[in-house]
Amino acid sequence: MSNSLKRATSSSKNTPSFDEQKWVINIRQTLVEEELQNNNEDEAPVSIFTVPKTLLLSHPDSYTPQEISIGPYHYWRPELYHMERYKLAAARRIGQKLLQNNVKFQTLVDDELLTIMPRIRSCYHRFLSYSNDTLAWMMAIDSCFLLEFVLSYAVKEDVELKRVSPVCMSKLIDYAGSTKAAHNALLRDIVMLENQIPLFVVSKVMHFQLLCLDSSDQMLMLMLIGLCNELSPFKYMEKENFPKMQISDIHHLLDYLYRILVPRLKKSPSMDQIEEIDDDGEEEEEEGNDKLEDSSYMQRFLSAVRNIFSKANLKKLIPLINKFFLSNFKLLFKLPWAVISRLPIFSLVKAPIESLFFSEKGEEKEEKETLYVNRPPLVEELAIPSVTELIKTGVKFSATTGNISTISFDDKSLTFYLPSLSIDVNTEVILRNLVAYETSCGSGPLVLTRYTELMNGIMDTEEDVQLLRKKGIILNHLKSDKEVVDMFDVMNNGIKMTKVPFLDKTIEDVNKFYDGRWRVKIERCAKRYIYSSWQILIVLACIMLLLLMTLQSFCSVYRCSRFFRFPQDSDAPYN
């Protein structure tokens, strides 16, 4: 249903008395617009959305303009009226430049904007009840203001740009309050999802002003690069590495910032490929189960005991341990773990032993075979140890100069690579609106959302933020590290996560290394099976008694004095 048809039906419902003549006029206008819209081959996709309610309710100030409205969504809010004078002043200055070329500002509205009203309306997700004239003037005035504001970030890129506007944008900020806080407030407002206008509208105003399409697009791109370089939380990104795009390919300012920060991923495999992956996974799982049954888990247990003795500088005992255990428990070591775990004593300690010495291959294969399936990740796939916990196990952190695509984990050097993130008073609003835009588009994996969840996972306390600051990964310009933790803690509330292959692989590699550490295994085993159950203590006491009896038998056969020095009677002190 077109916007005009929505306007016709909604006006009939909202008015107390139904005006049939007005309804007929609106329907007739709707049919005419439908014909124009169908003949328009360059119809733009929806790109300016309303913020999802789950996000809006969590932190309304991050999505609602506080100083200025750009576009139709917040145009008539009374608390934003004070900025209208500055928008009109920007439009007046551009109008004066047009008069120098014998062109009126009215011509810009009538000939350039009114003719593309269907395309402009198609960019907005929400129904726009404004008339075409109102919307066209609104777009023209807001585009003039936006051009002058963005120009203040591009004058350093090219000296020629100074001739576009003789008035520096900082002068307008002086009028508004003469403070850096006012400037930051404007930055936060123009990056909000609901405060966007189509970039092709801004491009038309720019082109109409310079009367040269190539020159205007080149200048506008320089202006966008300068602004997005200021807005980007990843401060060490080189401008030369920004993706090369045409103005016609960019929906709006927030869209360009998103494309700079978030890498474009390849499409996920088709359903046929997913079925092949599943089939192969099932075959591998069956083969793995067969090998699991045929292999001797007790031999692997004995191998782990050998490693412990070797690390404890008791290598001389290893040959005797092999000889004693293999000669007295030869049959036991040949039995599969599936049989041994059913014995009276071993059945009680089956779970702790498996968690300590054996990896859960079945679950790993299940995760791999469902890696590319279009479903939300499990809680286990989202979980990742904190920075403090990872550093204790030997993981090193290193800052990178780039965007999210530079995130990786090197399992050889045990280095976790993360891009440097600058956090100031604008960062939360920028990240929240980028996440809202990514969630609303729904065109692929939620890469930025997954990144913010990753940062939330590794930063549990202020100590974690402090460690990342020392490594140059976090550049904190806020009052405290706790504000950083709180910012990421509630950023993605109510968002359904999606799988992101390269981030999922990084998290999987980190968790695989962390879960394989003996310190981690023992702590988890103690919390899960010892501290929470008194029965396991009785079992451990029985096992300790059995080991002591085994040691006694061992010493009766082999002379333990060769390995352990016991005090002799002659060594006893005299009374």
Side-chain angles (χ1 to χ4, degrees):
M1 183 183 292
S2 68
N3 286 318
S4 297
L5 184 57
K6 291 179 182 177
R7 182 167 64 249
T9 55
S10 63
S11 60
S12 63
K13 295 179 181 179
N14 296 332
T15 53
S17 58
F18 178 67
D19 189 344
E20 295 183 5
Q21 185 177 1
K22 184 178 179 180
W23 180 83
V24 172
I25 294 174
N26 286 333
I27 290 296
R28 185 183 295 113
Q29 183 181 356
T30 298
L31 296 177
V32 174
E33 288 186 359
E34 288 287 349
E35 294 177 357
L36 294 175
Q37 191 170 357
N38 291 335
N39 294 330
N40 188 3
E41 297 179 356
D42 298 328
E43 181 181 353
V46 176
S47 59
I48 303 174
F49 304 88
T50 54
V51 177
K53 290 185 178 180
T54 53
L55 295 177
L56 185 61
L57 294 176
S58 64
H59 203 274
D61 290 343
S62 295
Y63 308 101
T64 307
Q66 305 297 315
E67 291 290 332
I68 189 171
S69 64
I70 303 293
Y73 283 172
H74 298 275
Y75 207 86
W76 303 117
R77 286 175 50 199
E79 60 269 27
L80 304 180
Y81 280 173
H82 66 281
M83 288 299 297
E84 288 300 311
R85 54 180 295 198
Y86 304 110
K87 293 199 293 185
L88 291 175
R92 188 180 301 112
R93 285 189 288 270
I94 290 183
Q96 292 172 356
K97 291 181 176 298
L98 293 178
L99 287 177
Q100 295 175 4
N101 298 326
N102 296 322
V103 179
K104 294 183 179 181
F105 197 86
Q106 179 75 39
T107 307
L108 168 65
V109 177
D110 294 340
D111 296 347
E112 296 293 332
L113 299 182
L114 277 174
T115 56
I116 58 172
M117 271 300 106
R119 185 182 179 191
I120 294 176
R121 290 181 180 274
S122 66
C123 295
Y124 288 89
H125 178 261
R126 186 189 297 178
F127 162 63
L128 303 178
S129 60
Y130 308 113
S131 66
N132 286 340
D133 289 334
T134 302
L135 190 58
W137 278 100
M138 186 186 301
M139 291 290 162
I141 294 173
D142 288 353
S143 296
C144 293
F145 176 85
L146 195 59
L147 279 174
E148 278 203 357
F149 186 87
V150 178
L151 177 64
S152 62
Y153 291 94
V155 290
K156 296 181 181 180
E157 302 289 337
D158 196 331
V159 180
E160 272 189 33
L161 289 177
K162 292 183 179 180
R163 65 183 177 86
V164 177
S165 178
V167 181
C168 184
M169 205 60 192
S170 61
K171 187 174 181 181
L172 184 146
I173 298 175
D174 289 338
Y175 290 154
S178 292
T179 60
K180 184 67 175 177
H183 183 72
N184 285 326
L186 290 178
L187 279 176
R188 290 192 294 269
D189 284 352
I190 68 170
V191 82
M192 290 183 180
L193 176 58
E194 295 186 359
N195 226 22
Q196 302 297 311
I197 58 176
L199 195 61
F200 63 81
V201 175
V202 182
S203 177
K204 279 188 174 294
V205 175
M206 187 79 173
H207 170 57
F208 203 75
Q209 183 181 357
L210 298 180
L211 302 178
C212 178
L213 181 60
D214 294 336
S215 177
S216 63
D217 285 352
Q218 183 180 3
M219 290 183 179
L220 182 57
M221 181 58 71
L222 287 175
M223 294 157 68
L224 289 177
I225 291 175
L227 177 62
C228 290
N229 186 58
E230 173 72 17
L231 292 173
S232 173
F234 304 127
K235 294 302 181 184
Y236 292 138
M237 287 184 62
E238 297 293 338
K239 298 178 185 178
E240 293 77 12
N241 297 330
F242 284 8
K244 306 298 182 183
M245 287 181 288
Q246 300 295 327
I247 291 294
S248 57
D249 298 330
I250 305 173
H251 299 310
H252 44 74
L253 190 151
L254 184 64
D255 176 65
Y256 182 62
L257 180 60
Y258 177 81
R259 297 192 189 192
I260 290 176
L261 302 181
V262 181
R264 296 183 67 87
L265 301 181
K266 296 180 180 180
K267 294 182 179 180
S268 58
S270 61
M271 293 305 297
D272 296 337
Q273 292 173 326
I274 292 175
E275 291 178 359
E276 291 177 3
I277 293 174
D278 291 341
D279 293 338
D280 295 338
E282 291 176 0
E283 293 177 0
E284 292 176 3
E285 185 175 359
E286 292 176 359
E287 293 176 3
N289 290 337
D290 294 337
K291 293 179 180 179
L292 192 65
E293 294 295 333
D294 296 337
S295 63
S296 174
Y297 270 55
M298 292 301 296
Q299 292 180 359
R300 294 166 63 184
F301 171 76
L302 183 59
S303 176
V305 174
R306 291 172 190 159
N307 293 333
I308 294 175
F309 273 84
S310 63
K311 293 180 180 180
N313 295 325
L314 298 174
K315 295 183 179 180
K316 294 181 178 180
L317 291 178
I318 294 178
L320 293 178
I321 291 174
N322 292 338
K323 184 177 180 181
F324 177 79
F325 277 94
L326 293 178
S327 60
N328 293 279
F329 301 99
K330 187 174 182 180
L331 178 61
L332 185 64
F333 281 107
K334 289 185 177 180
L335 293 176
W337 176 251
V339 177
I340 297 175
S341 61
R342 293 188 178 94
L343 297 178
I345 296 179
F346 289 98
S347 62
L348 296 175
V349 294
K350 174 184 177 182
I353 291 178
E354 287 182 350
S355 64
L356 280 174
F357 297 100
F358 312 126
S359 60
E360 300 176 355
K361 292 187 175 181
E363 292 182 5
E364 291 179 2
K365 289 181 178 179
E366 183 180 355
E367 290 178 3
K368 289 182 179 179
E369 70 183 18
T370 57
L371 182 61
Y372 296 103
V373 178
N374 187 19
R375 64 160 179 81
L378 302 174
V379 176
E380 294 80 4
E381 296 169 332
L382 292 172
I384 186 172
S386 66
V387 175
T388 305
E389 294 172 338
L390 290 174
I391 289 180
K392 287 180 180 179
T393 57
V395 175
K396 295 172 288 186
F397 287 84
S398 179
T400 62
T401 57
N403 59 11
I404 300 176
S405 62
T406 59
I407 297 176
S408 63
F409 178 72
D410 188 353
D411 54 358
K412 295 181 180 179
S413 62
L414 303 182
T415 305
F416 198 167
Y417 295 97
L418 291 168
S420 295
L421 180 67
S422 178
I423 300 178
D424 53 28
V425 293
N426 300 327
T427 305
E428 181 174 5
V429 173
I430 294 172
L431 289 178
R432 279 182 174 274
N433 281 273
L434 287 169
V435 168
Y437 177 60
E438 182 181 63
T439 306
S440 302
C441 286
S443 57
L446 305 183
V447 181
L448 185 63
T449 306
R450 198 78 165 86
Y451 165 74
T452 56
E453 190 65 29
L454 168 64
M455 297 301 291
N456 179 38
I458 64 175
M459 293 189 297
D460 289 339
T461 62
E462 299 178 41
E463 183 181 358
D464 298 325
V465 180
Q466 184 179 4
L467 292 172
L468 291 180
R469 282 198 295 108
K470 291 180 179 179
K471 299 298 181 180
I473 296 175
I474 294 293
L475 307 175
N476 187 15
H477 301 284
L478 301 179
K479 294 180 180 179
S480 65
D481 292 335
K482 187 176 184 304
E483 293 185 38
V484 179
V485 178
D486 296 339
M487 182 183 74
F488 282 99
D489 192 35
V490 294
M491 187 170 292
N492 298 331
N493 287 354
I495 298 180
K496 183 179 180 181
M497 296 292 173
T498 63
K499 284 184 170 293
V500 181
F502 79 97
L503 287 180
D504 293 338
K505 180 64 167 56
T506 300
I507 295 175
E508 181 184 355
D509 291 343
V510 172
N511 286 333
K512 183 178 180 181
F513 167 78
Y514 181 79
D515 295 339
R517 301 300 93 190
W518 274 102
R519 172 180 168 274
V520 176
K521 288 184 175 182
I522 293 174
E523 287 181 357
R524 288 181 178 176
C525 183
K527 290 179 181 179
R528 186 181 302 175
Y529 302 108
I530 297 179
Y531 300 151
S532 60
S533 176
W534 60 269
Q535 296 177 349
I536 196 68
L537 297 177
I538 298 177
V539 174
L540 290 177
C542 295
I543 293 176
M544 182 62 68
L545 180 62
L546 180 61
L547 291 176
L548 292 175
M549 294 173 62
T550 303
L551 180 61
Q552 183 181 9
S553 302
F554 175 81
C555 292
S556 64
V557 177
Y558 306 97
R559 297 176 60 185
C560 293
S561 59
R562 292 183 298 172
F563 309 101
F564 305 99
R565 185 177 181 275
F566 297 101
Q568 303 295 331
D569 294 338
S570 60
D571 297 334
Y574 294 99
N575 294 328

